[in-house]
Amino acid sequence: VQSGTVNAGVNIPGGALSSSEIIAIGEVTEELPEAVNNATGFVVTEIVAFTPYNLNFAVPVEISVSAFLGRSQESNDEYLCVLDNSEDTSWEIVEGASCSNGSCTAQITSFGIYAVCNLVEDCNGVLGGSAYNDVCSNCVGGNTNLVSGYAIDDCGLCGGPGMSGWYLD
């Protein structure tokens, strides 16, 4: 299947499924969590959903994901990254995937959300880390020991004074 700037496919060998399944490959239509949308440890160009999520196969199937990056040089630090489903909060690298020049193939045993990605330091300085910038632009998650929105006061303001100086009439 090809949509936008992503080309993706799956090769399902005989015996991989125990029953007939309707599968789809395409854009992610669900809203992804803040930790994924604002992730700083992974540079993800395009993502593609292989659904139904968590469809398990009896034998591995081969998937391919290619992002048309418009670059002329080959990159050696590309990976195939995965989210188990649209509620997963951090990208993981698919072990054993083969990636080159914006294209990855891998043997997998379950569907999910996949993307060609590059590892970079997250906002907390960890290569491929899962820290991200929250709504207040603070680096949270990952190994920061900070939760999203920790700087929001009782009035909903980032770094605001809260209810101090307010008195009930």
Side-chain angles (χ1 to χ4, degrees):
V1 71
Q2 185 175 357
S3 70
T5 58
V6 176
N7 186 19
V10 62
N11 181 15
I12 302 175
L17 291 169
S18 59
S19 63
S20 181
E21 291 283 344
I22 296 175
I23 64 170
I25 303 170
E27 294 180 20
V28 177
T29 57
E30 303 92 343
E31 180 68 27
L32 296 176
E34 176 186 37
V36 172
N37 283 335
N38 299 336
T40 58
F42 291 83
V43 175
V44 176
T45 51
E46 299 289 338
I47 60 176
V48 62
F50 288 78
T51 57
Y53 299 130
N54 301 322
L55 174 63
N56 293 313
F57 300 100
V59 296
V61 301
E62 182 179 87
I63 64 165
S64 61
V65 177
S66 298
F68 301 109
L69 306 175
R71 63 175 118 154
S72 59
Q73 295 179 343
E74 189 169 322
S75 174
N76 294 329
D77 61 348
E78 293 173 325
Y79 298 91
L80 183 62
C81 293
V82 63
L83 299 170
D84 290 334
N85 55 50
S86 61
E87 296 174 8
D88 197 351
T89 58
S90 63
W91 290 103
E92 300 292 330
I93 294 174
V94 177
E95 295 298 326
S98 174
C99 298
S100 176
N101 201 25
S103 182
C104 295
T105 59
Q107 298 287 320
I108 62 164
T109 55
S110 66
F111 273 175
I113 299 171
Y114 292 87
V116 177
C117 65
N118 298 89
L119 300 183
V120 294
E121 286 188 0
D122 68 8
C123 58
N124 199 40
V126 177
L127 183 65
S130 58
Y132 62 97
N133 293 313
D134 71 0
V135 69
C136 295
S137 298
N138 292 319
C139 186
V140 299
N143 65 358
T144 65
N145 295 321
L146 300 171
V147 297
S148 178
Y150 76 90
I152 297 176
D153 72 2
D154 296 335
C155 298
L157 300 173
C158 292
M163 297 292 229
S164 64
W166 182 84
Y167 302 97
L168 184 61
D169 288 340

